[in-house]
Amino acid sequence: MKFWKLSFISLIFLGLYSTNGLSQINDNWVIRWIKPKENQFFQQTIYSVAQDSMGFIWFGTENDLIRYDGYDYKIFHFDAKNPNSVQFSSYSALLVDKEGFLWVGSTQDGLSRFDPILDRFDHFFKSSISPNRLLSNYITTLFQSKSGSIWVGTDRGLHRLDQNPDSSWNIQIFQHQAKDPTTISQNIITSIVEDTQGSLWIGTFNGLNQLNPDSGTFTRYDNTTKIDGPSNNHVTSLCLDKQKMLWIGTKNGLCKLNMDTHHFSPLFSETNDSISISQNHITDIHIDHHGKLWLTTQSTGLTQFDPLTGVSNHFQAHADIEPSLQSNHLTCVLIDKMNRIWAGGQRLNFLFQRKQKIQYFDIHQLINLQTPDFQVRSFYQDSAMHLWIGTSHGLFELNWNPAEDYSNNKSYIVENHFGSVTNSTGMLPWLYGSSGIL
């Protein structure tokens, strides 16, 4: 989860239909508002969501780190008397590693690792005396490579963390050195991916880099070198497909890198070409189960791009078309395990891809939230196929197979045509849609 994701102005659901019928729209949907009795984190913005190896859902807000077991909540607070308590706020990134440890990144106070067995946090932060020293307390991205190393991107450089047999940590630091071309091109890290050969590809504010983990040296790809490079040096996102193509989103165009030949092919938005990408400022890239790219841009909605044909389909806001996207300011896409597409924003939009039609509803209006600034910030799909939606007003859980008994919860029954709403007793608000998406 990258900290660059700006506020998500629309929440969109796009149903991808496959010809073999494996991806279908379910008839029943439930969305639950995770609102504790004490309203402890109701008004907090949730920036990141993850599920650990024990099934707990974790979510980070601007003030708290919270663990949810499906019934109850535990809020982790700073304790000045306990050095192994949680230390920070403004949680920018969550990562569950292969060993089951939860890594928590902050934009203010560094990095922590939570041990679920010992119920304690170990900390890594900027310090002149700490052995677990980082270059900066501003964590931009977290990544675990196949070797098990934890890679930590910050606004001051890249770190590699490996635990020694005595439980101490070996921290390797990578920073830009102007006179050494084998160092990283710039220190603000935006994204990290790993290819099939074990090399890491790192995007920065000034160039793309390939890191050889064994030698610790970088090969730079940017517009200022003689080596072929992306169309723009400000890399915003990276995505690797099954054909060994690295897709690079930049502030000025989409770029394809052939991993075998290291040849770059830029793709730009063309004013008089309706099948080109919609805008050159790419903010995020995802690849669906059929190999198609889904792009978000700075201000032109959502674009589906087919690498085989080079044809783009655009989904945008139109004042004279109802319904359509409610805003073109989208910055995030999630492709779930059933090959369905979600993107962040102010409303929940449902796209019938074959008919090119969109339906939507307002989450905050359905639960009587009197606020004009409701925003979706993050998505996560858990092992039970539930979608967790982090917003500016708390957490929501979307379940499209409501086989459980919700009789003890406050429920809202909502028809597909947005019909009447009925209430039952209980504390937690639930939203049901009886024919299609809410």
Side-chain angles (χ1 to χ4, degrees):
M1 299 181 187
K2 296 178 292 185
F3 85 110
W4 322 107
K5 290 183 171 57
L6 307 177
S7 61
F8 302 159
I9 304 176
S10 292
L11 168 60
I12 307 161
F13 172 64
L14 311 173
L16 288 186
Y17 289 81
S18 60
T19 56
N20 59 13
L22 293 179
S23 182
Q24 299 177 351
I25 304 301
N26 292 286
D27 289 333
N28 297 305
W29 298 79
V30 177
I31 188 166
R32 180 158 61 117
W33 189 17
I34 310 300
K35 181 184 177 184
K37 294 178 181 178
E38 299 82 1
N39 287 336
Q40 292 162 304
F41 57 90
F42 164 54
Q43 293 294 338
Q44 294 190 37
T45 298
I46 295 174
Y47 291 105
S48 50
V49 186
Q51 182 180 34
D52 67 20
S53 58
M54 302 176 71
F56 293 113
I57 299 295
W58 294 78
F59 43 105
T61 76
E62 70 261 42
N63 296 317
D64 294 308
L65 179 65
I66 303 162
R67 186 177 70 187
Y68 177 57
D69 64 6
Y71 300 95
D72 204 357
Y73 315 87
K74 181 175 181 179
I75 300 178
F76 292 82
H77 298 289
F78 171 70
D79 182 353
K81 298 180 180 180
N82 181 6
N84 295 114
S85 68
V86 68
Q87 293 288 308
F88 42 70
S89 60
S90 296
Y91 301 92
S92 56
L94 298 177
L95 170 71
V96 179
D97 68 21
K98 299 173 184 178
E99 303 298 324
F101 296 101
L102 176 71
W103 294 83
V104 187
S106 168
T107 59
Q108 297 180 10
D109 298 293
L111 176 72
S112 286
R113 187 188 75 156
F114 178 72
D115 186 326
I117 305 300
L118 299 178
D119 196 34
R120 57 172 282 173
F121 290 88
D122 295 313
H123 306 292
F124 306 81
F125 51 87
K126 184 179 180 181
S127 171
S128 59
I129 59 175
S130 172
N132 295 342
R133 184 177 69 90
L134 301 182
L135 294 168
S136 170
N137 286 333
Y138 199 123
I139 309 301
T140 60
T141 187
L142 298 174
F143 180 80
Q144 184 174 31
S145 58
K146 297 171 185 175
S147 66
S149 298
I150 302 297
W151 296 84
V152 184
T154 73
D155 63 342
R156 298 291 180 87
L158 180 68
H159 307 72
R160 175 179 179 173
L161 278 61
D162 293 285
Q163 193 165 28
N164 299 314
D166 64 357
S167 296
S168 63
W169 288 91
N170 178 36
I171 302 179
Q172 191 174 4
I173 295 175
F174 303 93
Q175 275 191 305
H176 171 71
Q177 303 294 331
K179 296 182 179 181
D180 186 354
T182 67
T183 61
I184 195 166
S185 63
Q186 206 258 0
N187 288 328
I188 302 178
I189 312 300
T190 60
S191 51
I192 306 171
V193 297
E194 183 177 16
D195 65 26
T196 56
Q197 304 301 314
S199 292
L200 293 183
W201 294 83
I202 296 112
T204 73
F205 270 23
N206 189 32
L208 175 69
N209 302 263
Q210 181 184 17
L211 170 62
N212 184 325
D214 295 329
S215 64
T217 58
F218 292 81
T219 301
R220 300 178 186 175
Y221 299 90
D222 59 61
N223 290 337
T224 63
T225 66
K226 295 180 180 179
I227 301 177
D228 196 9
S231 54
N232 184 269
N233 287 339
H234 189 144
V235 177
T236 58
S237 53
L238 298 172
C239 193
L240 188 64
D241 69 18
K242 295 180 180 179
Q243 281 68 46
K244 296 184 179 180
M245 301 294 175
L246 179 66
W247 295 91
I248 306 154
T250 76
K251 289 187 70 174
N252 187 30
L254 177 68
C255 199
K256 179 179 71 174
L257 169 61
N258 187 310
M259 305 294 286
D260 292 329
T261 65
H262 282 198
H263 175 68
F264 288 81
S265 301
L267 299 166
F268 296 103
S269 174
E270 303 292 344
T271 304
N272 298 319
D273 186 357
S274 62
I275 65 172
S276 69
I277 61 176
S278 60
Q279 191 191 52
N280 287 326
H281 189 160
I282 309 297
T283 57
D284 205 3
I285 307 173
H286 286 268
I287 299 178
D288 68 24
H289 299 182
H290 304 301
K292 295 181 179 179
L293 273 63
W294 291 84
L295 314 173
T296 52
T297 64
Q298 187 180 41
S299 60
T300 56
L302 187 64
T303 295
Q304 180 200 60
F305 176 75
D306 189 337
L308 296 179
T309 64
V311 174
S312 297
N313 290 318
H314 308 297
F315 305 94
Q316 298 177 338
H318 297 282
D320 56 341
I321 298 176
E322 182 68 24
S324 67
L325 297 189
Q326 297 307 297
S327 172
N328 286 326
H329 296 278
L330 305 176
T331 57
C332 177
V333 172
L334 170 73
I335 300 178
D336 71 18
K337 297 169 186 177
M338 296 180 70
N339 203 35
R340 296 178 293 208
I341 312 298
W342 303 81
Q346 199 172 46
R347 292 182 176 182
L348 179 61
N349 301 267
F350 176 55
L351 171 66
F352 293 92
Q353 187 172 302
R354 285 180 175 175
K355 299 180 180 180
Q356 302 291 293
K357 292 183 178 180
I358 299 173
Q359 293 183 352
Y360 60 83
F361 76 97
D362 294 310
I363 296 177
H364 60 290
Q365 289 185 7
L366 288 173
I367 57 177
N368 296 320
L369 265 177
Q370 303 301 318
T371 175
D373 59 349
F374 183 87
Q375 296 176 350
V376 176
R377 298 277 184 165
S378 55
F379 294 114
Y380 179 79
Q381 187 178 34
D382 67 22
S383 56
M385 305 287 283
H386 297 191
L387 185 71
W388 297 84
I389 306 165
T391 78
S392 57
H393 288 74
L395 185 70
F396 293 81
E397 177 195 15
L398 179 63
N399 172 19
W400 48 86
N401 186 20
E404 303 174 55
D405 179 12
Y406 303 125
S407 59
N408 292 324
N409 295 293
K410 183 179 180 181
S411 302
Y412 297 97
I413 313 300
V414 185
E415 298 296 332
N416 193 42
H417 59 277
F418 315 124
S420 61
V421 177
T422 60
N423 292 329
S424 61
T425 59
M427 182 268 295
L428 291 175
W430 295 76
L431 308 181
Y432 293 78
S434 63
S435 54
I437 188 77
L438 292 172

